[in-house]
Amino acid sequence: DRRKEMERDGEIRQADEKGNTENHNHLKSGDQSTNATTPDNRQHEEDSRQRQQKQQHHEQQEFSRKSNANVKAKEFEVSKKAILESLLLQIQHQIESPPKNPSLRTLHTLDEDLSLSLNSCPKEGFSLPKDVSVTLVIQCSMDRIWLLRETCTRWPDPIVLVVYIPHDTIKDITVRSILLDPIADIVTNCPQMKVLLHIHGSDDDPADSSSYPVNVMRNKGLDAVS
């Protein structure tokens, strides 16, 4: 009997050890299957990584775009301020010291203009040298300033603009900047343009306030061509 009990105890221990071994192997196999990465999981991780990279790239581009826009806006404001100050000085100088009358150009002086003026072209046999540009001379009033945006995009060579300014509109110093702001805005985006202000009533006949001195303004522009 004693021997039979010992045999049964041995069989039980063997069975327990076998069961523990099988359980261990089963758990190990389960761990391996859990830790293993399937092709679907790898593809999902790769797609997620690419999406993150695209998002980061987009954010960097947007940040760079906004930074560049801010820099350009600041540069524009600095340039516009300098141009506005220059225009204000023009007004002040013309009020304090009225400029001399521009050159007289009429049909009667045409022959003399052709022989003496550097800005006149000969009648025949003329060809423009490659290193010489053609200057566009424009005169206009304040209500036509907005049209010059298109002119600047179409004419890359120098532009001389003569602007008609009624004397009574600049008597109040506080409103001069407001009056000249549209001009400064145009010129800031048109570096090839030179602006001359023609204050009507300073170098013209003060008694004639209703006329538009188109010839005087044209000649003033021609005198400014270099």
Side-chain angles (χ1 to χ4, degrees), residues 5 26-27 87 96 157 185 224:
E5 289 179 0
H26 176 72
L27 291 173
L87 295 174
E96 295 176 353
D157 282 349
D185 194 58

Side-chain angles (χ1 to χ4, degrees), residues 198-212:
H198 181 81
I199 302 177
H200 186 64
S202 58
D203 52 7
D204 299 322
D205 184 2
D208 186 9
S209 59
S210 60
S211 65
Y212 183 85

Side-chain angles (χ1 to χ4, degrees), residues 22-175:
E22 291 177 353
N23 289 336
H24 177 72
N25 293 335
H26 176 72
L27 291 173
K28 184 176 181 181
S29 176
D31 291 342
Q32 291 176 349
S33 62
T34 301
N35 294 331
T37 302
T38 63
D40 290 341
N41 290 338
R42 286 195 298 269
Q43 184 62 41
H44 177 73
E45 291 175 356
E46 180 64 19
D47 292 342
S48 177
R49 184 182 63 81
Q50 291 181 359
R51 284 195 299 269
Q52 289 178 353
Q53 289 180 344
K54 289 181 179 179
Q55 180 65 24
Q56 291 176 353
H57 181 67
H58 175 73
E59 291 176 353
Q60 290 175 352
Q61 285 185 326
E62 186 66 15
F63 177 79
S64 178
R65 184 188 66 80
K66 290 181 178 180
S67 298
N68 292 336
N70 291 334
V71 170
K72 289 181 179 179
K74 291 180 179 179
E75 291 177 348
F76 177 85
E77 290 301 324
V78 171
S79 298
K80 181 178 177 180
K81 183 179 179 181
I83 292 171
L84 187 57
E85 291 176 351
S86 175
L87 295 174
L88 290 170
L89 284 175
Q90 273 196 56
I91 290 180
Q92 192 62 34
H93 289 163
Q94 288 192 45
I95 292 175
E96 295 176 353
S97 303
K100 64 178 182 179
N101 291 329
S103 301
L104 183 64
R105 290 178 175 86
T106 67
L107 291 175
H108 302 289
T109 64
L110 181 60
D111 291 336
E112 183 181 356
D113 290 341
L114 292 177
S115 60
L116 299 179
S117 176
L118 296 176
N119 303 324
S120 299
C121 300
K123 295 179 179 180
E124 298 178 358
F126 177 77
S127 60
L128 186 67
K130 293 182 179 180
D131 58 344
V132 175
S133 59
V134 178
T135 299
L136 178 64
V137 179
I138 308 173
Q139 48 77 28
C140 73
S141 54
M142 287 298 300
D143 60 336
R144 301 296 179 90
I145 289 293
W146 63 274
L147 293 170
L148 297 177
R149 292 185 185 277
E150 186 68 19
T151 304
C152 286
T153 62
R154 293 174 178 267
W155 191 270
D157 282 349
I159 301 174
V160 174
L161 169 66
V162 184
V163 184
Y164 174 78
I165 305 289
H167 189 271
D168 58 352
T169 62
I170 49 109
K171 289 181 179 180
D172 189 351
I173 299 178
T174 59
V175 300

Side-chain angles (χ1 to χ4, degrees), residues 173-186:
I173 299 178
T174 59
V175 300
R176 289 179 185 175
S177 295
I178 300 175
L179 176 70
L180 298 176
D181 187 78
I183 303 176
D185 194 58
I186 294 287

